[in-house]
Structure formats: C-alpha cells, structure tokens
Amino acid sequence: MTTAACKMYKDCQSCFASSDVYCGWCTLKNKCLAREECLSDAETEMARRWLKPGKDTCIRNQNKLVFQRSHNGPIDILISNLPQLNEGESYLCVYEGVGNISKPATTDVIDANSTRLTCDVPSPTQIPMSSDGSDFVEVPLKILYNNNVDILTKSVTFYDCEQYATRTDRPCYDCLKSKWNCSWSVAQHRCVSPSSIDNGTRDTWIEHDQTDECPHVQDTFHPHPLIPVRYPTNIILKVVNMPPMADSRNGINCNFELDKGHTFNSRGTIQPGAAGESTSTVLCSKTSFGYDAKKTLLQSKLTLTWDTDKTVDFKENEFTFYKCYATRDDCSKCLSADAQYRCGWCQNPGESNGGQCQIPELCNNRTFISESRKCPVHEITSFTPSSGPIEGGTEVEIFGKNMGATSSEVSEIEVADTKCTLIPEKFVTSTKIVCRTGKVVKETQGLVSVQVRNIKQTSKNMYKYKKPDVTTVEPLLGPQAGGTKLTVRGSNFNIGGSKRITIDHGFGAGVDCNDLSVVNDSMITCLTAEVTNAKDDLQLSLVIDGNYYLIPKLFSYKPNPQVKEVKTLSNSGHLTSYVGGGRKLFIYGSSFKSVQKSTLTVTVFGLDRTTRRKRRLARRNKNRKKSNKKRRRSVEDVFVGTPTNFTVNCKVENDTMLICETPQVKRNVSATNGTAGEPLKALLTLKMDSEEIKLGNLTYLDNPDFSAAEPDRQQVEQGYLKIDADNLAYSKAVTQDEIVVLIGEQRCFVETIKENQFLCVIPKKPEGDQLKYDLKISIGTTTWKLEPVLYRPPNIDENGTITKVIVIVVVLVVVLLVVFGIIWRKRQKRYKANKDDFKNAIENLEQSVRADFRKAFAELSIEMSDLTADVIDTGIPCLDYRTYVTNLFFPSVRDHICMRRPSPEADSDGSKAHKQFLDLLMNPTFLFVFVRTLEEQRQSFTNRDKAHVASLLTVALHHDLKYFTQTVKELVKNLIERNLEKNPKLIFRRNDSIADRCLSNWLYITLYPYLRKNVGKMIFMLLKAIKQQVSKGPLDAVSGKARYTLSDDRLLKEDIQYHNLTLFVKTQEEGDDDEPSIVKVLTCDSVAQVKEKVMDVIYKRLPFSQRPRADQLDLEWHHGRSGQLVLPIDNTISETNSRWSRLYTISDYKVDNNATLALKQREQEHQSSSDIQDTSAAPSVHSADTSALTPMLPEENSTRLYHLVKSTDETEQNRQSSINRDRHKYIPDLYLLRLLNMKGILQNYVHAVINSIFDETSIPLPVKYLFSFLDEIAAKHEITDPNILHLWKTNSLPCRFWVTILKNPEFVFDIEKPDTIGSSMTVITQTFIDACAVVEQRPTKDSPINKQLYAKEIPTYMRMVQDYYKKIKEDPAVHEMEMNSFLDNIQQEAACDFDVNTALQELWPWVNKYYDEIMEKMDDDDPYTSYQMSDAKQLLMQTYNLMEHGSNTESS
C-alpha cells in the first residue's frame, strides 16, 4: 500500500471510514498514513501516535468549554487519544480571532484514553464583543503540536451577564431568564454569574428564574389610555417590588421621547401600598406633551428610572399620543374620528369657515361642535372623469369639503340630472364621494349635485354623456405569443374611467390586451396577450366602464413565427458581413405576416486573440507529454470581451421570408478588441413582437478597399472596367449581385469577380458633351468614391477627317452590297438548280431547332429551379376549400349564393320549413324516388338541370358526408343496374345523370386533400413551365399564336426576328435605395406583354387574385435626361396606303437593353382613349378570353390591327407576315418541329404530373373505396370482361376528376389561365385520356398533329395506368369504418358551413313541380317503395304544407 493512497483521505473520520487496514491516522502529523510512514523505529511503541481504524478513535474533546467572560484562571480540556510527548516536544493553545493569542499548555494523563490539557484564557479585554447584541461570543481554539501541526480545533464560549444591566426595557427579567444562570442585584442594579457572588451577600441577590421578585410596573391607573397633546396629563403607574430606597437620593423620573428632539421628563413620587404589600403607586407629575410630526397618533415608551439610571422593568410599555387637528382640517373629518379621542370641531360663533379639530378642554371660548348635522355646508371642488358613456357605469369621483363624516350622510347624487348610485366602500370622509352613473338615451350634459345632511350643492363644471364610436383596428392578425400592438381608431375615447380591450377566444371569456394607452380622443393602443392556441376571427371589444363596444373587424391569432433557415446571397452556410453593414440576411420560416414589428439585434464581441493564443501555448507546453484526445476550441469559437448590441429593423417580405440588414459596426466596440483585420464574432437575436429567437453566429470582416486600374484605357479596348480590391473575401461576405458600381448615374454591372478584383460591363455613355463621370462602389450601406472615369472622346480635327472617313465607308458599303447582291443572285440560281441545297437547308433548320431546344431547356431548368425555390418559400397558391368546391359545383356561376357562409338572421318559420325539408332529404326512401322521378323527365329536365340539382343536393347533405357517401353509392348502383342491359361499356361515359354528377361532386370533396398535398404541386409546376417557355418566344398579342406551344392551332408558323432585353423595374412602393427588379423581355413584345412580364416578376409572391389589375397600372420609362415617358398600351403604326395598323412593340419606343422602367398607379390623364379591344387592357395579354378573339379585332374605319402576323379570313396559305419573306420559299409546316421542341422541354413536367396521379405508393383512400365498390358490383352481376371494369374505373375517376382539374386548373389554384396555357393543357389532357384507354390507338400520318405528338409516350403511360388499377385491386379493401374516419377528418379540416337554407330553397321548386309524379311513384309497388314508404309519404306531405303554406296540416 502506497502513502499516496492513504493521503487521499483528508481527515481522521474519512481515513477511518475507508476501512483500509493499511491506513491509520498519524496524530502528530495530522495525516492519514500507513504505519511505517507515520512512526519511526524508535516510536513504534509510543502510544496514540498512530491510531488504527477499528481499534482506536479519533482525537476529540470530551468536555464543554463554556466560561464567564471575566474568567481569570486556566481552563482544563479533556481530550481522548492525545499522544504523549517526548522531551523537546510541546503543545500550544492558540485563540484565533483575538490576535492569535498563544498560551503554553500542560498535559496530565488521566487514564489510558484520556488526557487533561491545561492552558490559560485571554484577558476579558482581549475577548471580542458580540456583534449581534447577544450575551456570548465563541472563540476558536486550536491545539498545536510543536507550534505547527493542528491536532484539534474547538470553540470556546465566553458569556457575559453584566451586559443586561444596560438594557432599558426589562433588565432584571432578561438577566434572570438567560441560559447562563445569571443572578440580579436590585441594589447594585447588576447581573452577574453565580460564581462571582460573595457567599456573605448571596441573600441580597435574586437567583435565576425568580423573575417575580424583579421591580416592575404592573399596571397603569391613567383614566384614559390615550394622551392628547397640549393638554397637561398625569401618568399613574402601579409598581411591584420597588426598593425602599427608590425615593431617596435622586428620586424617581418618568421619561418620554415622542419624536426626535422632543424628550419630556417629569418627576415621580412613590405612594407605598398597604402594610405587608409589595405593591406601590408611582405618580408622574402633570406634563403637557407635544410632537411636530403631522400624525394623528404617535406611540412612545416610558422609561421609569430611580437613582438616576436604574431602570424598572416595564413589560406593557406603550403609550399613545394623539392630535385631533393633525389630519382633520374640516368639520366632517373631525367628527369622523373615533369617539375615544373625544374630538370635536371648534369654531368661532357666527363663522361659516375656519375652525379647528380639538378636544373639548382645548376649545376655550369657541363653539364645540360634536354633531355632524351642525357642521358647515359642504362644497364640491372638482370631479373626475368629466365625461362618460351614455350607457352609464362610470365611477365618478367627486372631491370637496365637509361632504359627510360617514357615507350615510350622503342622501342623493345626480350627474347631468341622472341618478348616480353611491359606492359606500369608496367613500372618503369629507373629501371624496364615488358614485356610479346611470344610463341615458342620448348624448347630454349637466352639473353634478350632491345632497349631504339634506343640503344640496352643485358643481361649477359640466359632466358630459358621450357615445364612443369604434371604426377600425389594425393589424388584424398577430402571433399567439402576443406582443402585437393593436391600434384602435374611432371617437370619444377620452371618456369614462376604466378601459380595456378584450379578445374573445370563443371559450366564453375574453383575454384582455396589455399596456393599454389612450393616445388621444380618437386612438387607443394596446399589446395583445399570449394565448395557448392559434385561432382565427376573434371578436375584439372596447370595454369602457363595463360597456362593450364591438370593433367591426375580427382579429386572428396565428401560430408563432418559426425560423427554419438564415441565408445570405453567398449561401455558404456561415453568415458573414463587412463591418460597414447593410448586408441582407434572408430569414426563412413561417407565420411572418402575423408579426407587426421585427428587429434584429447583433451582439458583437471583441476578441482578445493574443491573450488566448498565449494561454493555449502555455497549456500545450505543459501537456506536451500527455495524450489529449479532446477537441480544442478554436479562436473563432470563443467570445471574449464586453458585448455591445446593435439593433436594426427588419422587413417582412411574405409569410415565409424576412429580410434584415446587418448593422454597421465600429472597431472600438469593446476594450478587448483584437487587432485590425481580425474577425469580430457576433450573436444574432431576432425579436418578433414579444417573441425572441436566437439565429446563431455572424462574423464581421474588415471593409475591402477598391481602386480602378487605368479605367479610360480599358473601357475602350475591352468594354470592361477592372476594379482592384483588397480584403474582398468573395464568396463569404459579398457576391457580385451585392456590389453596385455606378459610373455617373448608370450602373456598371459586375460580371466577373475574383478574390482581389472584379470586372463590370461599362454602360453606354450618356448623351451630351460630358466625358468625366464619378465612379462609386456601394456594398450594403458603405460607399467608396474612386477616381472619376473618363470616356474617350471621338478624334475630330479641323480638316474634316471624320467627314472623309464617313464618305469612304459609305462608298465601300455600297460597293460591298453590290458585290454581295451579285453573289447572292448567283447562289439563288444554284440553289434552285440543286435539290441537295434544299435538303441541307432542311437539315440546318433541324439543327437550329435542336439548338433552340437545348438552349430553351437549359434556360427553363434554371428558371424553374428559381420558381421551385419560390414555391418552397410561398407555397402553392391553392384556393381554400369553399372557393374550390364552389368552382366545381357551380362552374358557370362561380359565386353561388348557397356556397356562402349562412346568415345568422333567418326567418323562424322559413327555418322550420327548411329543417323539415332537410329531414325529408335525409330519408333515403324519398331521396331515391325524387332522383328517379327527375331522371325520367327527359323533355323538361335538361342535363344542365341535372348538374344544378346534383350540386344543390351535395350542398344540402354536405354536413353529413357519411350519409352523402352512402347516397352516392346507392345512386351509382342503381345507375349501373339500369344500364347493364344496354351497353355496359358506356356507363359513366356521358356524365348526363344526377348520379354521375353526385359522384363527381363526391370525388371533388374527398380528393381535395390529396390534390392539395400531392398532385397539386406537380400540376402547378407544369403550368408555370408552360408559361415560362411561352414567354421566351414571340407571342402574337392579337391572334394569341405563339412560337412555343403544344397546339398546332396556336403555333406561330413564322420566323419572327427578335432578341432579349434586360429591364430594371421599380415600383412606387420601393425607395431609392431598394434594388430594382430584373425583367427579361423580347424586342417584339407589345407594351401590354412587357407590362404583364413586369407584373409577373414584381408580384410573383402574390396570388393572382391579390394582384392589381393591369389596367390600373402604367409602365413608365425613365430615360436619363430625357425625363420620363408613360408607354401607352394601344399605340399603333399605320402602314402607308394600307388598311393595316401594327401594335407598337417595346423596340418601337427605342427602349434599350438595361433600361430603367417604373410600374406605377395609373393616373386619369394616362388612360388610353382607344376603344380597340386589345387583350392588353385585360389582366393578361393572352387571358382566358383570348379563345373568343377572331384573328383580327373589330374594324374601325376599315382599319385592321395586327401585332406580329397579318391574319386574313382566307386559309393559312394566304397569311401575311410583317417580315420580308423573299429570302426563301415559305413552308409553314417546317415550323411544326417547334411542337417537338416544346414537348421535349416540358416532358419532365408532364411525366411528373401523370406519375403523381398514378402513384402506386400513395393511393388515396377514396379511390380504393370507389374501385372496391365497382369491383363488388361487377362481381355481383357476374361481369367478367376486364375491359368493362377498366372503362368503369377510367370514366369514374381519371376522365371525370383529373381531366376536369387539368383542363381547369384555375378551379384549384389562384392563378390566371391564358389561352396559350389552356391550349397546351388541352393537348396534355388528351394525352392523359389516351393513356387511360383500354386499347392503344396508333396514330397514322393522317392523324391530327396533337395525337402524333405524344404517340411514343402513350404506351408507357398506359402500362402505368394498368399497374395502378392492378395495385388497387390487390390491396385489401377499405373498411367502412376507415372510410368514415376519413370523412370525419375532411369535415374537421375543411370546417366549412354552407348556406343550406338557400340550397333547399332552390331545390324545393323541383319537388313542387313534380310533386304528383313523386307521390305516384311512392304508391307504385316497385323496389323503391320497400323502405317504409308510408313514413316517407307522410313526411313529404308535411314538408309540402310547410314550404308552400307555412302550415303543418296534412294535405289530402
């Protein structure tokens, strides 16, 4: 066993507790050691030098060390197992806390285990006094061996009885009750320890606990326990055990100290009691007391002394002095005092004012008023508030004088001639009366009157009754964490007393806003409280004095904002900025629109990098020989120094994105900053209203430095301006889009960027003679000004050199044109003679198409990646459930009245009839008879009527989707059974029955979740891809024909020359510092088309319904010094000697590349005066109405309008174009290759849509349920032909539901569907239909182009459909309970109530019209009459009478 193992135990107890047989306590070394480490050979037999666990015990003190402070001799300490000493060894007693006084100690062995150690104590003057007023002090005592080894530490207690003699309240009692057994001497007025008393005088001392023998005051004989000031008063005391000599020498004194500086001393005399009694009476002489404090009552203690300074014990020592006049300055206040004070109002005779509150003895010759009815008349000085609501309930505080000693004296209160109810518990004697106003019918005003003691007094000012009016509140939504600042506007807000704003949570009680502030008479602000759950459409109420005023707009608690990701344009994963700040942080998350105010706090730390490196090096040297597997934190991970906060406001872009700019940071943010150039570490905290979210770390880098390298030479030679940069930190702190270079007022766009330099494209020199322009570089909020840039001027000499050069150039051009003309003519002849040249031309055209396809596909892929990112940020703009089903149930109406929320006001009789009718529809017997009756009316009941009735039935039964599902199943089963004998393959194909329509509606309802969550995104991406690609090529604004389309009918079969333009567009909402939006357009685009592309970029994050209309906006061109020009949408160019007029294109206005435009609200004077129905005046240049356009617009004065192609009424071969077609023979069919081009570009998106619809891994539950139902019917009727079942499933689902969605995406999404998109979607839809066919139909050369386009892919899609059907058939059938649960979830998620009464009202005329036929069918003996027919007939008759006559009487 090693010594180190024993040394781990630091005291004797832990050493013994270790149970280690090798370890023991080495007493004279005060350590746990092994025996051989503790004892030398000579000491092995020395007793108690090494204590063995289990045999010995640790050294300890065996007696109490408690002594009187005045103890003068040595003390004995009994210690167990104290080692014996050898010659030359010693023990020492050291008293700590008293100057470490050392006293030598002697030892005396008592027995084998105990030793007596004797040492002296310090003198009384060396012992410290107690700091807390206690009667003892503890002094630590150490026993040292050889003056350095601590053998034992123990506390010695020194107590002091003498201190009790100085106490003023009960010195004798406290002395005798002490725990030290002290005794008290009355004659000496001393408290001592019994050991200090001489035996000869012990009888004169009162021993411990004999407190009854102490001199003490037993009782007071003063006739009144209260002592008035200014009135001479005797104090009489009953005293027990008073010594006989008390009245001798200096006698007895009575002392009071009322307040600081006011001490009253009076002489006392003793009157002894009867013989043999210890009781006597002390009489303090009459004294007039007083104090300065403005207090009604003041408590004080009496000090009763004898022989100058000997205090008599006084237990109940408290006297109360009082002033009647201290706080009672009028009669009512005076008389409200308790009767024991005997206060009354002293007033000079004949005076109505003035007087004083006093006791009767001090009233002198004045009149003493002791009854309140004799008090002077009260007076009203003011009241608050000065106005209140007409509904009453306002607590009016009325202030004045003499307004009653108690509330019972107030008999009547009126405010503006209206009774005001007294609130007794808020009554303040004489000075304040509080009452609650009553209700008035209209706004009015009047005086305040109060009747006290049957005397009425009125105020000088008027009280006004007003009616508050709440007009609006903003914002209307906020996070559930609260903290949203609500601003309520209206009028008459400065009235009444209590005000609060409640938000009703729908649980029967509202939650009050916090921090309500009445800004002025028309505005109130408050902060919303935190709630546990988000909830929409909550009622806001302004509550004034308990009266509720509904705020006309509803508030919604939205889920708390959540932050998912923080990025910069660098997208490097680590957030970095220059110290100059201004870098945009893109914060992605959710529920940002509910935030009213968002701020970003950047906490920056200085980094003492040098100090930390020294510490790391020292630690590394110290541990060099040890293996260290722990990861060391780098300098960049450690925050050092005083933090400094910088806060900036953030901007909410949309519900999922927030943009904050980093603040500017100075290098001296803290005293512990590192040297220049070192990164600064910062913490990001985003505060959204009251919610705080930690965003992580940000690194600040030093600002870069820029210089231009020979700018005048480079721009001429290369067209680029090279900027040298130091500390650019490209890809970390900046991207090329964040560097703004301005030459004058024009931007030099950065094209290439490296770590130490970048290039920007020099813009065209502005018009004018100026050659030198300022060069500025801006990154964030920091701007650098460099040496000016010099544009090189043209070399002009006095001899007209330029003119000569121009003439020479013109001559050369003419000669070259002639030569080229001759060459071209020859080549034309050879071309006509050689057929191979024509074949080469075809091949060249095919290569051109392929090149266009590759380029277009690459561009579309990049743009769709951006669009995908936008979709992730903003989500798919799906319509809400109500709008979605409205579009599909009533496609021709779109806003049917029965699809709205039900009105709360309903006629009771009508509601009763409607309820009866609804009960009738819930009777399946009647419902099936009703439907069958309508189906048989072939002449008077059209297909349109069937669709309308089916939709009304769906609305009426929507509240019970389980019943509606069973109804649809029964109707479908009956439909199949009726048509089996005809041609079963045609069932479900025509969609011309109520059963068909109800089945469609059932699918619209049940597939909405799957459409929204799964397929919707794919369809939306396909629509966007079509629109993006169409915009890449020419699009005729008049005919609607486009270069890029899938439809042969809509193909622009012309070679239109164009090139791309990049425009920079700002809006009115954007400031001068905001970055403009970049918009790509074509030179052949009309102004209306440019405007639409601009709006698509500006409002890309807004649903279509929330965008402004195109005719509400103007496109304004900012053209340098030339000013601003609004670009009209309907300007035309008339051709000479022709009836044709061409729409202006953007190139006709000479708008150059990189031009700046602005999108602004249209002013009246800018509106077009043309009546030409150009689609540009509509929301889109190729809107949904384009299909109705003729190839040319209506004529005015025989003028025909065209954009790109002149269209005539003749066939396609006679078409005219705006281009010159003399270069080659015009073959329009060659341009059909563009259809293949468009198809290849869109193929991935088309495939994604079809694959998502027929995805075997996520088959919707309703589809399984429907297909299983059809399988059951087929098995029941022994239908074995698989083609029939395939057709049933195809016609009931893909061709019914998905075809409707694909053809009408605007029914599902909040988008615009131009005809160019619709024509392409028609081709895709036809491909989808062909893929669902039973047998493949191979196209021939005579088949339509659209059929041939996807002929190669259709077999693949057909196998996909067949596998989909097969997978559903192989899967287990859906249980009815599973389907019911699914329907319940739909109703809960939709939470949509329709106006059922309106639907029933529209449905009833069909029942009324065919009432007789329905009754006849109920009488017939057919399958429909087997379901309790009599009950259904009875219910029908009752319903008829209620609906037609408002009566429940049965009809005959």
Side-chain angles (χ1 to χ4, degrees), residues 1043-1061:
R1043 175 188 178 96
Y1044 295 109
T1045 182
L1046 292 176
S1047 174
D1048 176 40
D1049 297 334
R1050 290 293 178 180
L1051 179 64
L1052 185 63
K1053 302 174 182 177
E1054 295 282 348
D1055 189 10
I1056 305 299
Q1057 299 299 317
Y1058 69 93
H1059 61 270
N1060 294 319
L1061 291 179

Side-chain angles (χ1 to χ4, degrees), residues 630-648:
K630 295 183 179 179
R631 175 184 174 269
R632 300 179 184 272
R633 294 184 66 187
S634 65
V635 172
E636 288 74 18
D637 292 334
V638 182
F639 294 105
V640 180
T642 303
T644 304
N645 291 333
F646 301 87
T647 301
V648 293

Side-chain angles (χ1 to χ4, degrees), residues 1180-1245:
S1180 168
V1181 298
H1182 42 72
S1183 64
D1185 296 332
T1186 309
S1187 58
L1189 292 175
T1190 60
M1192 62 179 182
L1193 300 178
E1195 296 185 9
E1196 292 185 6
N1197 300 325
S1198 300
T1199 299
R1200 292 193 174 185
L1201 184 68
Y1202 75 97
H1203 175 208
L1204 301 176
V1205 177
K1206 295 177 183 177
S1207 300
T1208 63
D1209 294 335
E1210 285 78 19
T1211 60
E1212 187 72 23
Q1213 285 77 9
N1214 294 327
R1215 286 171 17 124
Q1216 301 182 35
S1217 173
S1218 58
I1219 65 171
N1220 186 357
R1221 205 182 290 120
D1222 293 336
R1223 293 181 290 109
H1224 58 80
K1225 181 179 180 180
Y1226 176 59
I1227 308 176
D1229 289 345
L1230 293 176
Y1231 294 96
L1232 293 178
L1233 291 174
R1234 292 176 179 172
L1235 298 179
L1236 291 174
N1237 189 351
M1238 183 68 166
K1239 174 208 168 186
I1241 294 170
L1242 299 178
Q1243 182 56 35
N1244 287 341
Y1245 300 98

Side-chain angles (χ1 to χ4, degrees), residues 318 386 481 780 904 946 948 1049 1096 1284 1318 1344 1348 1371 1431:
E318 186 172 281
S386 60
K946 295 176 183 177
H948 190 64
D1049 297 334
D1096 284 343
I1284 294 178
Q1348 300 180 37
D1371 285 348
D1431 293 340

Side-chain angles (χ1 to χ4, degrees), residues 138-154:
E138 291 186 344
V139 178
L141 170 62
K142 283 189 175 182
I143 309 300
L144 299 184
Y145 165 71
N146 282 351
N147 204 24
N148 58 7
V149 180
D150 186 359
I151 300 296
L152 177 67
T153 299
K154 189 69 176 178

Side-chain angles (χ1 to χ4, degrees), residues 1367-1433:
K1367 179 68 167 60
I1368 297 176
K1369 190 175 184 65
E1370 292 174 350
D1371 285 348
V1374 178
H1375 194 275
E1376 202 71 35
M1377 292 180 63
E1378 188 178 1
M1379 189 63 196
N1380 289 341
S1381 176
F1382 176 82
L1383 296 174
D1384 290 339
N1385 290 336
I1386 288 181
Q1387 283 194 301
Q1388 291 176 6
E1389 292 177 3
C1392 189
D1393 294 332
F1394 302 126
D1395 195 346
V1396 177
N1397 289 346
T1398 302
L1400 295 172
Q1401 194 66 37
E1402 290 194 20
L1403 196 58
W1404 176 254
W1406 300 107
V1407 179
N1408 186 29
K1409 183 177 181 180
Y1410 300 108
Y1411 179 78
D1412 295 336
E1413 288 83 350
I1414 295 172
M1415 292 295 290
E1416 288 179 5
K1417 286 209 172 290
M1418 286 186 174
D1419 292 333
D1420 291 342
D1421 185 18
D1422 57 28
Y1424 284 91
T1425 61
S1426 61
Y1427 299 94
Q1428 300 178 352
M1429 192 63 69
S1430 59
D1431 293 340
K1433 288 177 62 178

Side-chain angles (χ1 to χ4, degrees), residues 897-1183:
I897 187 172
C898 75
M899 303 302 288
R900 301 173 184 173
R901 287 186 173 87
S903 174
E905 298 86 9
D907 178 63
S908 59
D909 293 335
S911 297
K912 183 178 180 181
H914 292 146
K915 185 177 183 304
Q916 183 85 357
F917 186 21
L918 184 59
D919 291 341
L920 182 63
L921 292 178
M922 296 296 289
N923 186 313
T925 303
F926 165 78
L927 186 58
F928 298 141
V929 172
F930 174 56
V931 171
R932 185 179 179 186
T933 303
L934 294 179
E935 294 279 13
E936 291 178 354
Q937 314 304 317
R938 303 186 182 279
Q939 300 297 324
S940 58
F941 196 65
T942 64
N943 286 342
R944 185 173 182 177
D945 295 334
K946 295 176 183 177
H948 190 64
V949 168
S951 296
L952 293 175
L953 281 173
T954 306
V955 173
L957 302 179
H958 185 274
H959 69 284
D960 191 347
L961 288 180
K962 299 175 187 176
Y963 174 71
F964 179 64
T965 300
Q966 297 304 318
T967 301
V968 171
K969 287 177 64 177
E970 189 66 26
L971 292 175
V972 169
K973 184 183 74 171
N974 294 338
L975 175 66
I976 294 175
E977 290 174 348
R978 289 200 309 270
N979 294 277
L980 274 177
E981 297 180 357
K982 301 177 182 177
N983 188 349
K985 292 184 179 181
L986 298 180
I987 298 175
F988 301 123
R989 184 174 181 179
R990 297 182 59 186
N991 201 21
D992 59 352
S993 67
I994 295 178
D996 281 311
R997 298 289 185 168
C998 285
L999 176 59
S1000 299
N1001 294 344
W1002 183 82
L1003 290 171
Y1004 298 151
I1005 295 171
T1006 56
L1007 290 180
Y1008 176 72
Y1010 184 75
L1011 173 63
R1012 187 183 182 100
K1013 296 176 183 178
N1014 295 68
V1015 185
K1017 179 180 179 181
M1018 303 304 169
I1019 298 177
F1020 180 74
M1021 298 300 292
L1022 173 60
L1023 295 170
K1024 285 297 182 181
I1026 295 174
K1027 186 171 183 178
Q1028 289 277 14
Q1029 191 56 32
V1030 169
S1031 67
K1032 292 298 177 184
L1035 170 64
D1036 196 295
V1038 177
S1039 66
K1041 297 182 182 294
R1043 175 188 178 96
Y1044 295 109
T1045 182
L1046 292 176
S1047 174
D1048 176 40
D1049 297 334
R1050 290 293 178 180
L1051 179 64
L1052 185 63
K1053 302 174 182 177
E1054 295 282 348
D1055 189 10
I1056 305 299
Q1057 299 299 317
Y1058 69 93
H1059 61 270
N1060 294 319
L1061 291 179
T1062 300
L1063 305 179
F1064 298 92
V1065 184
K1066 286 193 172 185
T1067 62
Q1068 285 180 323
E1069 293 78 9
E1070 295 176 345
D1072 295 335
D1073 297 333
D1074 292 332
E1075 290 292 326
S1077 299
I1078 300 177
V1079 183
K1080 302 288 187 180
V1081 300
L1082 308 179
T1083 52
C1084 62
D1085 285 343
S1086 69
V1087 176
Q1089 290 174 330
V1090 172
K1091 184 193 294 186
E1092 182 187 14
K1093 292 180 179 181
V1094 168
M1095 291 176 65
D1096 284 343
V1097 173
I1098 298 294
Y1099 302 112
K1100 66 180 180 180
R1101 297 184 182 277
L1102 285 179
F1104 181 74
S1105 61
Q1106 297 179 21
R1107 297 185 183 182
R1109 299 197 315 272
D1111 57 359
Q1112 296 174 337
L1113 303 173
D1114 270 329
L1115 202 58
E1116 188 176 75
W1117 178 27
H1118 293 185
H1119 185 47
R1121 295 183 178 180
S1122 300
Q1124 302 169 355
L1125 174 66
V1126 174
L1127 303 179
I1129 62 174
D1130 52 6
N1131 274 11
T1132 59
I1133 302 175
S1134 298
E1135 296 184 359
T1136 306
N1137 299 325
S1138 173
R1139 61 178 180 173
W1140 291 99
S1141 293
R1142 179 174 60 82
L1143 275 176
Y1144 262 57
T1145 63
I1146 192 68
S1147 61
D1148 291 325
Y1149 290 101
K1150 307 301 181 185
V1151 177
D1152 295 330
N1153 195 31
N1154 298 331
T1156 300
L1157 281 74
L1159 190 66
K1160 56 187 294 185
Q1161 291 290 329
R1162 169 170 291 186
E1163 300 178 3
Q1164 189 65 30
E1165 59 268 18
H1166 292 154
Q1167 292 182 356
S1168 172
S1169 59
S1170 175
D1171 293 329
I1172 297 177
Q1173 297 179 358
D1174 184 10
T1175 53
S1176 59
S1180 168
V1181 298
H1182 42 72
S1183 64

Side-chain angles (χ1 to χ4, degrees), residues 870-872 874-879 1012 1016-1018 1020-1021 1309:
D870 292 340
V871 168
I872 294 174
T874 60
I876 303 298
C878 286
L879 296 172
R1012 187 183 182 100
K1017 179 180 179 181
M1018 303 304 169
F1020 180 74
M1021 298 300 292
F1309 307 109

